[in-house]
Amino acid sequence: MSLLAVTDLSIDYAQLGGATRAVTSASFSMGTGSSIGLVGESGSGKTTLALSLLGLLPANGRVASGEIHYADESVSQYSETQWRRLRWTKAALVFQGGMNALNPVRRIVDQIVEPMLVHGTETTKQAATQRAIELLARVGIPASRARDFPHEYSGGMRQRAGIAMALACKPQLLIADEPATAIDVVVQAQIIRLLAELRESLGLALLIITHDLGVVAQLCDDVIVMYASEIVESASVRGIFHNPKHPYTKQLLESVPRFSGMRGVGAGISGQPPSLTNPPTGCRFHPRCPSVFSPCATEHPPASRLADKHVVACHLYGHD
């Protein structure tokens, strides 16, 4: 049984004159202790997909179709009260930007204590405070700093505090949105090692949303590549890095700067991501694709399974 199963999930944002589809027919699953990297350019739908898994879509967002299951329970049409019971206990989110995710006028320890008392995972404030201090120590923050305010922490410490807070109610799934963004490379490496250690020691499943393919290579078992609201390729980390199939995935990899062998700046991807209010017909990547041919502009590419885990939506593989 999967810990998390997403089936044909589509998400719309209401706008004047209609709706914009931000996620289109997304399907994937995660088992206990697994790790998936969700990658793609800004605006591809990564964060919207992740927020939907916790019922955190903004007021104008809604699940238009499809299903989200935690274990054997469908949660797609949960009420806000039901979502509140699920958050923190089954799945938790480490928000992008530690300073923005923390309440600036409350002490760090109090912010970690609150969800434990709300969800009843600890019955007294004293016990919750002790566990909060233990969680902070686990992520590398000493007890002497537990009563500091967020502005007294460095960027890396705030990110660690956010991870500690997400672990407060012992969730099975941790969703991390750009966990290594806006901090220096040394602290990035520390955060990546911390997440890997927590996954190993706690049996956490990790869903990592990132632009950084290096983070994916170090933390993830599998990769989902999104473009213009759609999943265009999914495979194991080895499959994506050593044998990418979709032209978009190949160009993403080629855009990464090289620091060994033939060093240099990545090639980049020509053009701009399309507007989701008026996306291209056929394959959404075709206006930017170096491998475009006749069906790409008019026919939506089918998803083709090339190996056990390797699925790609591209006409290069969808035709005999």
Side-chain angles (χ1 to χ4, degrees):
M1 181 185 297
S2 296
L3 172 64
L4 169 70
V6 176
T7 307
D8 291 327
L9 186 68
S10 294
I11 299 167
D12 289 347
Y13 285 124
Q15 294 181 324
L16 290 174
T20 295
R21 180 139 295 179
V23 173
T24 305
S25 300
S27 296
F28 67 95
S29 62
M30 298 185 70
T32 301
S34 63
S35 181
I36 290 179
L38 194 56
V39 304
E41 292 169 289
S42 295
S44 60
K46 307 185 300 298
T47 297
T48 292
L49 176 56
L51 292 177
S52 73
L53 304 179
L54 290 169
L56 290 174
L57 291 171
N60 65 330
R62 70 178 186 93
V63 173
S65 61
E67 290 287 336
I68 304 168
H69 280 81
Y70 282 95
D72 59 352
E73 185 175 3
S74 176
V75 303
S76 311
Q77 302 303 322
Y78 261 16
S79 66
E80 179 57 24
T81 299
Q82 291 172 307
W83 276 119
R84 285 176 183 160
R85 288 199 294 265
L86 181 148
R87 296 182 201 124
W88 300 94
T89 56
K90 289 188 178 180
L93 176 64
V94 180
F95 287 94
Q96 180 178 357
M99 190 62 185
N100 298 329
L102 297 169
N103 187 328
V105 299
R106 296 191 65 200
R107 299 181 189 278
I108 294 292
V109 68
D110 293 335
Q111 297 187 55
I112 300 174
V113 163
E114 182 178 22
M116 289 188 253
L117 297 178
V118 169
H119 289 281
T121 56
E122 297 292 347
T123 55
T124 68
K125 186 172 182 179
Q126 182 179 3
T129 300
Q130 181 58 40
R131 173 161 164 77
I133 291 170
E134 291 170 358
L135 285 170
L136 287 170
R138 185 159 203 159
V139 300
I141 298 174
S144 60
R145 303 295 306 274
R147 291 187 58 77
D148 286 359
F149 290 97
H151 73 269
E152 297 177 284
Y153 278 14
S154 67
M157 290 177 72
R158 289 194 294 266
Q159 194 74 338
R160 289 171 181 272
I163 294 170
M165 190 185 308
L167 296 174
C169 297
K170 304 178 183 178
Q172 295 176 288
L173 170 64
L174 191 66
I175 302 171
D177 191 356
E178 299 286 1
T181 294
I183 49 181
D184 66 66
V185 292
V186 173
V187 179
Q188 282 182 11
Q190 294 170 353
I191 295 297
I192 291 167
R193 283 198 298 271
L194 172 62
L195 288 170
E197 290 165 5
L198 291 171
R199 178 193 175 195
E200 180 69 23
S201 61
L202 301 178
L204 283 172
L206 294 178
L207 179 61
I208 308 294
I209 306 153
T210 184
H211 292 88
D212 191 332
L213 294 171
V215 171
V216 170
Q218 294 178 73
L219 274 178
C220 299
D221 301 324
D222 302 310
V223 186
I224 294 172
V225 182
M226 293 190 72
Y227 182 78
S229 86
E230 299 180 338
I231 294 175
V232 296
E233 187 166 7
S234 60
S236 67
V237 163
R238 183 173 183 82
I240 289 293
F241 281 86
H242 292 277
N243 191 26
K245 295 299 184 182
H246 199 283
Y248 177 63
T249 307
K250 293 177 181 179
Q251 291 200 299
L252 274 182
L253 293 169
E254 289 168 1
S255 69
V256 177
R258 297 179 296 277
F259 298 101
S260 61
M262 295 294 290
R263 298 186 181 189
V265 177
I269 305 174
S270 63
Q272 298 291 327
S275 166
L276 295 182
T277 59
N278 186 28
T281 57
C283 173
R284 294 188 174 184
F285 187 58
H286 86 263
R288 307 170 71 190
C289 182
S291 303
V292 64
F293 68 116
S294 56
C296 300
T298 56
E299 300 177 24
H300 191 272
S304 301
R305 185 172 295 276
L306 307 181
D308 180 38
K309 284 187 174 182
H310 207 143
V311 178
V312 60
C314 178
H315 287 297
L316 293 171
Y317 308 94
H319 293 263
D320 295 330

